[in-house]
Amino acid sequence: MKSTTPVPVAPASGDRRHTSSIRSRRAHALPFAAVAAGSVLSLVLAACGSSSSSTPASGSGGAKAGAALTVADVAPFSGPDAALGPTYLATCYGATHAIDAYGGVLGHKLTCKSVDTRGEPADAVPAVNQLFASTPNLALVIGCTSDEAASVVPIINSHKTNMFCMTGQSEFDHVHFPYFYRLVPPDLEEAYAMVVIAKNLGYKRVALAFGNDIGSQTFVQPAIGAIKKAGMTLATSQTLALNGSTFRTEAEAIIQSHPQAILTEALGTADPTLFAEIKQLNHGKTIPIIATSAAISPPFYKAAASAMGAGTLASNFHADNLVTETSGPAYPPFKAALLSQQGHVPGTVGNFTTYLSAPGGVHLYDGINLAALAMLMSKSTVPSVYGPDIIKIGDGVPGATVCYSFAQCAAALKSGKSIRYEGPGGPTAFDSYHDSTGIFQTDTYSPSGAVNVVGNISAAQLRAVQP
């Protein structure tokens, strides 16, 4: 989901939300339904059988007075995608610290818990089962990336626990899970955004280099279709084994195909190793890179800058990212909340301020605030009770007071006002699948690792390359 304060960018014209005209709701429902059904019938039964009291107290009757509520970060903390877990944990630490500083939720403080999925469904399922077997007062799950979401979302949903997931799998556009919420777009739309960036930069011939993990592979076919629709040429498509130590064969194939740019997502050491070997084999010349939003993270920058040189990376790198508010009333409390935890979050590396631009940093902060405010509004910590108020608070009702932080919104609720929360991720517009996703911007890095916003990608541009 991944510097100095990002350069402020003016909001895109009009409402910065996806409209139905650019939401690609393709016929993936049946394959995903089969996965979901299999998970519910077998994986969830395993969860239920692991402990007779595996359902947390908050899901079956509410937390006891004064007990801490747990926010679980279900994501990779080890393996090739290990940077994702700490990114989301930084958000959790920041958001819950701000909530607790205001007094918590209904007399409860919030605490964060790491659940390492290792980026593999086979590891994620027992990890989530153990989470429910061992964690009383589990109030919210965040994370659940594309690596494991298809396997764990049905389990979390069966335990009636609300979740804000960072998966981009477009199948979640079609299968309704009552406890599933998402503030990030399907991967296919992010693939379109990458192609738009390449087109805007004038590239006619591009290569693909994506990791062999589930999350990265979901970009490949949408990107191929968008490249064709845009009138561009696909030079080559290479798959990178994330546990590989060298990619000379793939690097040579890319060089020989003569692309003007490489569209890529291969987390861990894969992308930096590929970049270094391309530069070595290409007589010191670097091929420009267009990456997904996952590359906007301190670990990626640190590894890629080491492999290529900070100046070379800065002059040859672009990434799509969701449009976020980097000025205005929502940004200062968000910035203060995250930076208050600098040096306190296990597993975080590099320039901590980059988390202010990381997709997980922004949108999971909003998700945690929405959930905590919904608890206040419903006067309940039970997910099945407070869940519906997430949408009421996010989308608002006519005449609602707009507020921009947990403290401000909580005060408005206390005074009897109806509210509409708008955080740094911008306004929400949840659909019937609990999706609310914004449009994209284009980011670059400075040689020091600062994230710079250099443009916005409009809905019309996304539609123009959609197959």
Side-chain angles (χ1 to χ4, degrees):
M1 97 7 146
K2 91 168 201 153
S3 128
T4 57
T5 302
V7 175
V9 58
S13 59
D15 193 341
R16 294 175 300 142
R17 299 177 244 179
H18 274 296
T19 63
S20 58
S21 62
I22 63 170
R23 294 302 302 274
S24 296
R25 300 195 175 281
R26 298 172 177 250
H28 291 264
L30 289 178
F32 185 78
V35 173
S39 297
V40 171
L41 290 175
S42 58
L43 304 179
V44 173
L45 289 176
C48 295
S50 63
S51 172
S52 60
S53 60
S54 60
T55 301
S58 60
S60 58
K64 294 181 179 179
L69 304 178
T70 298
V71 179
D73 177 5
V74 175
F77 284 83
S78 59
D81 292 348
L84 298 179
T87 297
Y88 308 156
L89 194 63
T91 292
C92 189
Y93 272 49
T96 57
H97 175 77
I99 292 168
D100 289 347
Y102 186 76
V105 176
L106 303 175
H108 303 283
K109 294 297 182 72
L110 276 66
T111 185
C112 302
K113 180 174 183 175
S114 304
V115 180
D116 186 7
T117 67
R118 302 182 183 178
E120 295 288 346
D123 295 314
V125 170
V128 170
N129 288 344
Q130 179 60 27
L131 168 69
F132 282 101
S134 62
T135 310
N137 306 323
L138 177 60
L140 181 68
V141 170
I142 62 170
C144 34
T145 73
S146 295
D147 288 337
E148 66 278 324
S151 296
V152 303
V153 165
I155 297 175
I156 299 168
N157 191 77
S158 75
H159 283 276
K160 299 182 179 181
T161 300
N162 294 316
M163 67 195 103
F164 277 88
C165 290
M166 292 297 292
T167 177
Q169 290 168 291
S170 57
E171 290 88 342
F172 285 100
D173 280 5
H174 307 280
V175 180
H176 179 63
F177 292 99
Y179 296 88
F180 174 90
Y181 297 85
R182 179 168 63 173
L183 299 175
V184 292
D187 286 340
L188 59 87
E189 291 183 5
E190 191 167 359
Y192 302 158
M194 298 174 74
V195 174
V196 169
I197 293 173
K199 185 177 180 180
N200 289 347
L201 292 171
Y203 299 135
K204 304 291 186 182
R205 185 179 180 86
V206 298
L208 303 184
F210 285 87
N212 63 348
D213 58 304
I214 296 170
S216 298
Q217 282 297 303
T218 59
F219 294 102
V220 175
Q221 290 306 315
I224 291 173
I227 289 166
K228 182 178 180 180
K229 180 69 178 293
M232 300 160 65
T233 298
L234 175 63
T236 185
S237 180
Q238 299 294 318
T239 299
L240 309 182
L242 296 188
N243 60 355
S245 59
T246 180
F247 301 101
R248 292 183 66 87
T249 299
E250 293 83 357
E252 289 173 347
I254 290 171
I255 293 167
Q256 292 302 316
S257 71
H258 304 293
Q260 295 170 292
I262 303 168
L263 277 58
T264 187
E265 178 183 287
L267 301 183
T269 60
D271 257 342
T273 300
L274 176 71
F275 302 157
E277 292 180 337
I278 287 175
K279 186 176 181 180
Q280 179 185 13
L281 297 171
N282 199 34
H283 309 292
K285 297 179 181 179
T286 297
I287 299 172
I289 299 156
I290 300 173
T292 69
S293 57
I296 305 301
S297 76
F300 176 89
Y301 174 80
K302 181 179 180 181
S306 177
M308 302 172 62
T312 300
L313 175 65
S315 60
N316 289 278
F317 174 87
H318 290 79
D320 69 78
N321 204 353
L322 286 179
V323 171
T324 59
E325 296 178 356
T326 54
S327 61
Y331 186 70
F334 163 65
K335 180 181 178 181
L338 258 67
L339 294 188
S340 73
Q341 299 305 297
Q342 185 170 356
H344 301 295
V345 185
T348 52
V349 299
N351 191 333
F352 194 86
T353 58
T354 304
Y355 292 117
L356 295 169
S357 299
V362 176
H363 298 288
L364 292 179
Y365 169 87
D366 284 347
I368 293 170
N369 279 341
L370 283 168
L373 290 168
M375 294 179 207
L376 291 181
M377 183 173 174
S378 66
K379 297 181 173 59
S380 176
T381 62
V382 179
S384 61
V385 176
Y386 82 74
D389 287 333
I390 289 173
I391 296 175
K392 294 177 185 177
I393 290 172
D395 293 357
V397 297
T401 297
V402 181
C403 48
Y404 302 95
S405 68
F406 176 83
Q408 186 184 24
C409 292
L413 281 174
K414 187 176 181 179
S415 67
K417 297 177 181 178
S418 60
I419 63 170
R420 178 171 70 80
Y421 169 80
E422 182 176 329
T428 64
F430 286 102
D431 64 16
S432 61
Y433 296 91
H434 295 176
D435 282 341
S436 176
T437 61
I439 58 176
F440 296 92
Q441 65 190 29
T442 303
D443 287 354
T444 62
Y445 281 117
S446 74
S448 67
V451 178
N452 300 310
V453 180
V454 297
N456 289 334
I457 300 172
S458 69
Q461 289 174 311
L462 289 174
R463 286 196 298 271
V465 302
Q466 181 176 336

